Amino acid sequence: MTIHINQTAHLPDFIRLNQRWIQQYFQLEAADHALAADPEKVIRDGGCIFSLEHEGKVAGVCALFRDTPHRMQLARMAVDPEFQGKGLGWQLMEFALNYAKEAGVQSVYLLSNTCLNAAISMYEKAGFQAISKDQHPVYARCNIVMEKQL
């Protein structure tokens, strides 16, 4: 297993895996289409895209979106259904959080939905705490904001 940072060859997998999970539970929104049209914008804006390669395939992805010099958003975490249940999401999240901490980031937040019980449980286990449980102003699918101090 290898985790790559900003591997442009993996950007189609980043979009594919994200669209797959979103469509499984929700609907694609305007922000999803904008990201799919230009995923490198995440990198240009000071963020990172991580891709976890396992058994010769991109098995999981996630991103850190730059919010401020000291705050980032953990976003777009997805694991291919073929590889789910192997702890790859946890490994990706830990890698991204360590990367953020080493980069001097003081806090990381994420947007999610309370119907995603396994994801919420994983975030809580990692030390994220709910800071808002309201409907998000941009994403119809998000009703919880969680944050972790690094």
Side-chain angles (χ1 to χ4, degrees):
M1 177 197 78
T2 305
I3 297 178
H4 303 275
I5 303 169
N6 297 336
Q7 184 79 297
T8 55
H10 293 173
L11 292 178
D13 292 302
F14 175 70
I15 298 302
R16 174 185 60 83
L17 290 171
N18 271 279
Q19 288 184 343
R20 176 183 233 162
W21 86 259
I22 292 168
Q23 291 175 312
Q24 180 178 351
Y25 297 99
F26 308 102
Q27 294 181 353
L28 294 175
E29 301 180 40
D32 303 315
H33 296 295
L35 180 63
D38 186 13
E40 286 188 75
K41 184 177 186 323
V42 173
I43 300 164
R44 287 193 310 272
D45 288 349
C48 300
I49 296 176
F50 305 97
S51 52
L52 186 148
E53 196 170 1
H54 185 65
E55 298 176 4
K57 296 180 181 177
V58 175
V61 295
C62 75
L64 286 172
F65 295 167
R66 178 67 63 184
D67 191 44
T68 69
H70 300 290
R71 188 170 193 236
M72 295 185 93
Q73 178 187 355
L74 178 67
R76 305 295 176 146
M77 188 158 44
V79 175
D80 191 304
E82 176 184 347
F83 297 100
Q84 289 178 357
K86 298 180 181 196
L88 301 183
W90 181 265
Q91 291 176 34
L92 263 171
M93 179 182 61
E94 278 195 320
F95 187 91
L97 292 173
N98 286 333
Y99 183 92
K101 187 174 185 175
E102 289 175 14
V105 172
Q106 296 171 354
S107 70
V108 174
Y109 72 100
L110 60 87
L111 310 174
S112 192
N113 189 292
T114 53
C115 77
L116 301 172
N117 294 323
I120 298 297
S121 177
M122 181 178 74
Y123 300 141
E124 289 174 340
K125 183 179 175 184
F128 282 88
Q129 296 179 344
I131 58 171
S132 172
K133 289 188 176 181
D134 294 319
Q135 182 59 50
H136 192 267
V138 175
Y139 292 101
R141 66 177 171 265
C142 297
N143 68 357
I144 186 170
V145 179
M146 303 179 80
E147 187 169 28
K148 176 182 173 77
Q149 300 300 315
L150 303 180

